[in-house]
Every structure is written in structure tokens, then in C-alpha cells.
């Protein structure tokens, strides 16, 4: 075990530690958000229906990413706690079993890529062009998803030991590869065939595979706290169970988000395909705000988990409070952008005048909830790091299924799509209230007793 890495997590001043670990991940997440948006900007120039098709693909893509991220969150929390306990055998077992789970999950989505994409689009639209664009795009993303599953797990192994600068390199490399290949494969530059939406999907999976290979090399060469070896490997059922106790609530939260987007698309589709596209554009734009916060999360989870394992209450609480302050600042900047310059944010997406009018109203209404979301997200991270992801899952269910969707449906009955967006701040206020209640419970039962 590397004592320098241990001392860093347990002794470095909290603000410096959080920034040093989280900043590279926040930057790499920003790059990820950038290429997600550029993807849509390029696709919007193929045809408006292509942009709508990508918006409709979001629920299944989110489920796929949810399984990848959720499983790696479970591995990350257990591995970091084992580092704090100085249990090197458990550290290595967590890493190898995590990689095994990533492979098994990919096989599941490989099969789903062949079986469910067509029926999935059939339930959302009867417009043949949207169906065709969507099936082409989503099938490639799911069938060749081995890149994203291995990339995310391998990057979490790096972040678990505090090597987030290396994670930034892998994510940034994958994103840059995607950005370069997007116009080449979509429009047929540099002698390549013009593949349209298939080119966008192909660029995405190639970027993910490049990042995964680089992350594997960096783990083997630089991540000395973890020894990855499948020699005489047998799945550790007890450890896998512990991983999924933490991971399943996170996975369910992602799947709940997919259900929410799927039903919201159906609610909005009754107004127009433009409304669905605006909802998709909102998700791309809000990723510029949320992705850095998720990068902050990825950096804070191992810090909290390590100090929980080391039973250092003061450092644990300071980590959470500082992360909350940073997240709030990021969200405030995002909210101001949504309120003050929605036109500038929407212009790159080749929007019609009708879409611009609708989009400005949507961004201004939804943007109000962003600062409140900072508290919910960072406190949910605290729940995950302490092995209480179930609290975050309950909050997510209440926010998105119990409040957001019913509110959106009933507001849609007014007959004006502008009212539907009000459901987002309503749901976030409820989410913050429930999160605060769970925080008090966690503090009483766990944190105060350290």
C-alpha cells in the first residue's frame, strides 16, 4: 500500500484535497458535456427529426450509463473504504470483481441493443424518419457499449486512489477523439463516407474505446495501490452483494431518470416534436452545469469514504460542506446563464423561431431550480459514500415519479406547453425537503457517533 496516497486522503487540508482530486474530474466532465452538445449540434444540421431522435434516445442511454456508473460507484465506495482501513487484499478484490461486473453488464446491453431499440422507438413516434434515425444511432451505441462500461469502471479505479488527473486524461482523450471524428464521420470529410447519425454513434463508441484502453494502461502502469490480476479469479459473491447494496440504489436513480424522460417525451410529444427537441436541448445544456458537479461528486466520494473508514468525523463533514459550497457556486452560474442569455444558448442548435420562443421560456423556468439541486446532489453523494444510497434512491423516486411527472401531466392539461416546465422547480423543492430530513437521520445515526 502506498503510504503517500493514504496520507493524502487522510491528512491533506480538505479544501486543497477536494480541489486537487475533483478539479481534473470536473474539467474532464466539462469536456464530456461539450462533446455531447457538439454531437447534437452536428446532428441538428442533418435534419430536425435527427435531433428529435437523439432526444428520444436519451432514456435508454441513461439506463446504460446508469448501470455503468452505479456499479462503479459501489466499487469506488468499498474500495476507498478498504484503503482507509489499510486492507490491501479487499482493495484488489474490489477492483477485479468490479471489472468482472462491467463485462457481465455489457453482455446484457449487447443483447438489448439487438432486441429492444426498435420497439422502444415505436412506442414514442410514428414518424418514420425519427424512427429510422433513432434506431440507427441507439443500436450502435448499445451494441458496442463495451467501451463505455470498461472506461467508466477503470476510471473509477483511478479516482478511488486519488489519481483523478489520470482520469481527466482518459476522459479528455476520449472526448477529443469523439469531437474530431464527429464531423468526419457524419458529413464524410477527409475521404470518409458520410454516415449521418450512424457516424455520430460510431464516433462516440470509438472515443469510449480509446479512453478505456488508455485507462487500462494507466491503471496497470501508475495505479500501484491496486493490483489487477484475473489469475485464478472467482467471483466473490459476498463482495459483489456488498457492491450492489450501494450500486443498486444509484442504478435505480438513473433508471428513474430514464422513466421520467421517456414519459416527459410522451407528454411533450402531444404538443409538438419541437417540444421534445427543446427538452432534449435542455438536457444537453444542463449537462454543462451538472457534469462538473458530478465530477466534484466523483472526487468527494473517495474522500468521504476514506475518512469514514478512518473514523475521522471532522474531515468527513468538512469535505461535504466544502463540496456543497462549490456545487452551489457552479449551479448559480448555470442559473444566471439560463435566465439572462437563453437565446445564445439555443442558437447553435439550428432552432426555428418557434423553437427559440419555446426554448427561452423553458430554460428560464427550469433554471430556477439549479441552486437548490446543488444541495440535493452533494448530500446524495454523502449518502452514497456512507453506504446509505437507499436514501438517495427514495428521494429520487419521490422527486421524479411522485412529484415531477404528475405535476407535468396535470399542468399539460392547461393546454400550454410553457406550464409543463414549472413541474421541475416544484419537484426540486420537494426533493430538497426530503434530502434534509434524511441528512438529519444520517447525522444522528452515523456521523455523530464517529
Amino acid at each position: 500500500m502506498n503510504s503517500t496516497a493514504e496520507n493524502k486522503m487522510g491528512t491533506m487540508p480538505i479544501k486543497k484535497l477536494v480541489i486537487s482530486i475533483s478539479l481534473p474530474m470536473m474539467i474532464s466532465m466539462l469536456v464530456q458535456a461539450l462533446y455531447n452538445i457538439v454531437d447534437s449540434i452536428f446532428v441538428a444540421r442533418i435534419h430536425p427529426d435527427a435531433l428529435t431522435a437523439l432526444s428520444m434516445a436519451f432514456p435508454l442511454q441513461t439506463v446504460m450509463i446508469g448501470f455503468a456508473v452505479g456499479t462503479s460507484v459501489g466499487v469506488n465506495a468499498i474500495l476507498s473504504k478498504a484503503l482507509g482501513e489499510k486492507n490491501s487484499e479487499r482493495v484488489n478484490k474490489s477492483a477485479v470483481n468490479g471489472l468482472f461486473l462491467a463485462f457481465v453488464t455489457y453482455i446484457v446491453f449487447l443483447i438489448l441493443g439487438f432486441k429492444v431499440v426498435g420497439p422502444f422507438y415505436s412506442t414514442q413516434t410514428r414518424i418514420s424518419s425519427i424512427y429510422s434515425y433513432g434506431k440507427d444511432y441507439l443500436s450502435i451505441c448499445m451494441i458496442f457499449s463495451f467501451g463505455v462500461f470498461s472506461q467508466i469502471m477503470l476510471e473509477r479505479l483511478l479516482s478511488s486512489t486519488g489519481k483523478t488527473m489520470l482520469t481527466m486524461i482518459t476522459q479528455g482523450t476520449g472526448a477529443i477523439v469523439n469531437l474530431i471524428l464527429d464531423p468526419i464521420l457524419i458529413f464524410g470529410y477527409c475521404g470518409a463516407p458520410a454516415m449521418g447519425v450512424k457516424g455520430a454513434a460510431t464516433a462516440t463508441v470509438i472515443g469510449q474505446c480509446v479512453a478505456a484502453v488508455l485507462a487500462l494502461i494507466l491503471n496497470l502502469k501508475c495505479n500501484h495501490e491496486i493490483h489487477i490480476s484475473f489469475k485464478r479469479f472467482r467471483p466473490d459473491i459476498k463482495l459483489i452483494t456488498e457492491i450492489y447494496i450501494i450500486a443498486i440504489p444509484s442504478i435505480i436513480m438513473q433508471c428513474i431518470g430514464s422513466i421520467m424522460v421517456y414519459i416527459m417525451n410522451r407528454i411533450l410529444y402531444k404538443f409538438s416534436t419541437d417540444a421534445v427537441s427543446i427538452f432534449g436541448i435542455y438536457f444537453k445544456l444542463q449537462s454543462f452545469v451538472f457534469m462538473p458537479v458530478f465530477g466534484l461528486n466523483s472526487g468527494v466520494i473517495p474522500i468521504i469514504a476514506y475518512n469514514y473508514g478512518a473514523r475521522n468525523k471532522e474531515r468527513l463533514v468538512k469535505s461535504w460542506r466544502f463540496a456543497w459550497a462549490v456545487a452551489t457556486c457552479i449551479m448559480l452560474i448555470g442559473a444566471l446563464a439560463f435566465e439572462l442569455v437563453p437565446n445564445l444558448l439555443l442558437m447553435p442548435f439550428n432552432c426555428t423561431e418557434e423553437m427559440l420562443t419555446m426554448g427561452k421560456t423553458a430554460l428560464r423556468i427550469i433554471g430556477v431550480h439549479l441552486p437548490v439541486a446543488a444541495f440535493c446532489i452533494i448530500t446524495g453523494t454523502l449518502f452514497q459514500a456512507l453506504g446509505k444510497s437507499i436514501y438517495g434512491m427514495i428521494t429520487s423516486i419521490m422527486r421524479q415519479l411522485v412529484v415531477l411527472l404528475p405535476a407535468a401531466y396535470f399542468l399539460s392539461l392547461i393546454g400550454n406547453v410553457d406550464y409543463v416546465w414549472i413541474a421541475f422547480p416544484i419537484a426540486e423543492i420537494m426533493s430538497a425537503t426530503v434530502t434534509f430530513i434524511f441528512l438529519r437521520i444520517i447525522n444522528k445515526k452515523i456521523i455523530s457517533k464517529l
Side-chain angles (χ1 to χ4, degrees):
M1 188 74 63
N2 186 312
S3 61
T4 301
E6 292 175 3
N7 291 337
K8 175 181 177 180
M9 300 288 273
T11 62
M12 182 182 286
I14 288 298
K15 291 182 180 180
K16 183 178 180 181
L17 179 63
V18 171
I19 294 298
S20 66
I21 291 182
S22 298
L23 186 59
M25 303 187 77
M26 294 167 70
I27 293 171
S28 62
M29 287 290 196
L30 267 176
V31 175
Q32 294 271 6
L34 174 64
Y35 91 69
N36 285 337
I37 286 179
V38 171
D39 218 33
S40 293
I41 291 172
F42 284 135
V43 167
R45 278 152 178 74
I46 299 172
H47 194 279
D49 286 349
L51 180 59
T52 302
L54 261 65
S55 298
M56 290 181 173
F58 191 82
L60 261 184
Q61 283 185 295
T62 302
V63 170
M64 186 169 67
I65 299 298
F67 271 86
V69 172
T71 305
S72 65
V73 163
V75 173
N76 194 346
I78 288 176
L79 197 155
S80 295
K81 186 169 183 285
L83 281 171
E85 296 166 342
K86 301 176 175 57
N87 188 338
S88 59
E89 181 182 357
R90 186 171 172 83
V91 167
N92 296 332
K93 276 190 175 182
S94 300
V96 176
N97 278 272
L99 290 169
F100 168 74
L101 292 175
F103 174 74
V104 172
T105 311
Y106 160 64
I107 297 299
V108 173
F109 279 91
L110 167 66
I111 296 169
L112 292 176
F114 285 107
K115 297 292 185 180
V116 306
V117 175
F120 170 73
Y121 270 95
S122 296
T123 63
Q124 296 190 83
T125 182
R126 294 182 180 178
I127 299 174
S128 60
S129 58
I130 295 177
Y131 175 90
S132 178
Y133 285 132
K135 187 176 180 182
D136 287 345
Y137 179 82
L138 191 54
S139 294
I140 292 173
C141 289
M142 293 183 69
I143 291 168
F144 298 98
S145 59
F146 52 81
V148 70
F149 283 106
S150 52
Q151 175 193 350
I152 289 174
M153 183 59 69
L154 288 162
E155 287 174 348
R156 286 296 177 132
L157 296 185
L158 291 169
S159 67
S160 294
T161 57
K163 295 177 176 60
T164 51
M165 182 63 73
L166 299 182
T167 300
M168 182 182 75
I169 292 171
T170 60
Q171 289 186 338
T173 301
I176 291 168
V177 169
N178 189 318
L179 283 169
I180 293 170
L181 291 180
D182 253 339
I184 293 173
L185 297 180
I186 291 173
F187 302 114
Y189 297 147
C190 304
M195 299 171 65
V197 293
K198 289 183 180 179
T202 302
T204 295
V205 298
I206 291 175
Q208 291 165 348
C209 290
V210 169
V213 170
L214 182 57
L216 175 61
I217 293 170
L218 292 174
N219 268 288
L220 294 174
K221 297 289 186 181
C222 306
N223 207 4
H224 304 300
E225 293 87 351
I226 300 174
H227 178 62
I228 299 174
S229 174
F230 283 90
K231 186 177 181 180
R232 298 178 182 175
F233 169 74
R234 294 288 185 277
D236 188 324
I237 302 303
K238 182 180 178 182
L239 182 58
I240 289 173
T241 301
E242 292 179 38
I243 289 170
Y244 275 118
I245 286 173
I246 298 172
I248 285 177
S250 179
I251 293 169
I252 290 175
M253 283 190 285
Q254 292 286 337
C255 292
I256 289 167
S258 298
I259 294 170
M260 182 275 289
V261 173
Y262 176 79
I263 297 176
M264 279 293 293
N265 281 340
R266 299 198 66 169
I267 292 171
L268 295 168
Y269 190 74
K270 293 178 182 178
F271 290 97
S272 66
T273 57
D274 283 352
V276 176
S277 295
I278 288 296
F279 187 48
I281 290 171
Y282 157 70
F283 263 96
K284 298 290 184 180
L285 291 173
Q286 60 100 35
S287 68
F288 256 119
V289 186
F290 279 86
M291 291 293 263
V293 176
F294 293 151
L296 178 64
N297 279 359
S298 298
V300 170
I301 283 178
I303 297 172
I304 294 176
Y306 180 97
N307 286 286
Y308 176 42
R311 303 191 65 78
N312 192 324
K313 173 184 173 181
E314 182 182 2
R315 289 179 63 81
L316 186 155
V317 173
K318 281 184 177 180
S319 301
W320 167 71
R321 286 178 175 169
F322 181 64
W324 177 19
V326 174
T328 300
C329 291
I330 294 170
M331 289 295 193
L332 281 171
I333 293 170
L336 287 173
F338 276 33
E339 299 301 324
L340 301 177
V341 290
N343 267 20
L344 293 178
L345 299 177
L346 292 164
M347 282 175 60
F349 294 93
N350 208 28
C351 293
T352 62
E353 284 298 321
E354 292 78 8
M355 289 177 68
L356 280 174
T357 301
M358 184 191 302
K360 283 191 296 182
T361 302
L363 294 185
R364 282 174 172 154
I365 293 173
I366 298 174
V368 171
H369 86 277
L370 295 179
V372 181
F375 168 73
C376 301
I377 293 170
I378 297 299
T379 307
T381 299
L382 175 68
F383 298 160
Q384 288 180 341
L386 298 181
K388 296 294 182 180
S389 298
I390 187 69
Y391 290 157
M393 183 188 74
I394 293 170
T395 304
S396 186
I397 291 172
M398 293 183 67
R399 175 184 178 273
Q400 299 186 80
L401 301 187
V402 178
V403 178
L404 179 60
L405 288 177
Y409 172 73
F410 286 114
L411 289 167
S412 74
L413 298 179
I414 298 173
N416 186 334
V417 70
D418 291 345
Y419 288 99
V420 176
W421 314 120
I422 300 173
F424 284 88
I426 291 173
E428 203 63 60
I429 291 171
M430 185 286 306
S431 177
T433 303
V434 175
T435 299
F436 179 74
I437 293 170
F438 283 140
L439 177 62
R440 289 178 63 88
I441 294 172
I442 283 278
N443 184 59
K444 183 178 180 181
K445 290 186 176 181
I446 297 178
I447 299 174
S448 65
K449 295 181 179 179
L450 291 178

